[in-house]
Amino acid sequence: MVEKKTRGSIVCTTSVASVIAGTVVPHGYTASKHALVGLIRSAAGDLGKHGIRVNGGYKIKMEASELEEIFSEAANLKGIVLKARHVAEAALFLASDDSAYVSGHNLLVDGGFSVIKN
C-alpha cells in the first residue's frame, strides 16, 4: 500500500486475550495477543502518514454453542448473545470510510465480557 501510495485500512484479528489475562489459555497465547495490540498501535502510528489506518478486533473460531456458553455472562449484561455477524459488522466498519478517523484501536465486540472478567 505504501509503495503504490494507496490509502486504506488494515484490520487485524485479535482475541479477548488481547485485553485480559486468564488461566484458561496458555500464557504465551495471552502474551502474543497483547503484543499484537502493540503491533497494531505501532503500525498505525507508522503508516498513518501514508493514509493507512490499522485497527484490530477479535475473531471467532468456535461453534455457536461454545460461544453461547462462553459469553452467557456477558449476554446477561447486555441481553443479547454474541453472533458472528456482530464481529463481521465491526470488521466492516473498521475497513470502511465510516471509520476514517479511527486508527490504532482494538475494537472489543464482546458484550462486556472483558469488563466482567477483568
Side-chain angles (χ1 to χ4, degrees):
M1 291 171 78
V2 172
E3 288 177 14
K4 294 183 178 188
K5 297 184 183 342
T6 304
R7 301 175 64 88
S9 177
I10 298 170
V11 179
C12 302
T13 55
T14 63
S15 163
V16 71
S18 68
V19 294
I20 63 173
T23 57
V24 178
V25 295
H27 301 301
Y29 179 83
T30 300
S32 70
K33 296 306 176 181
H34 276 74
L36 183 55
V37 172
L39 177 64
I40 289 165
R41 294 176 57 83
S42 294
D46 186 46
L47 297 173
K49 63 187 171 223
H50 300 286
I52 302 168
R53 297 177 294 112
V54 184
N55 291 290
Y58 59 97
K59 69 178 178 177
I60 295 176
K61 61 179 182 181
M62 294 176 254
E63 297 297 321
S65 60
E66 292 176 289
L67 283 172
E68 191 168 333
E69 180 181 332
I70 289 170
F71 287 96
S72 63
E73 199 171 343
N76 290 336
L77 178 66
K78 295 291 184 183
I80 59 171
V81 175
L82 179 71
K83 299 197 180 333
R85 72 175 178 81
H86 295 129
V87 176
E89 289 168 356
L92 286 172
F93 166 72
L94 290 174
S96 76
D97 289 339
D98 290 338
S99 64
Y101 213 70
V102 178
S103 192
H105 184 67
N106 187 32
L107 180 61
L108 300 176
V109 182
D110 67 358
F113 181 78
S114 57
V115 176
I116 293 168
K117 292 296 183 188
N118 204 3

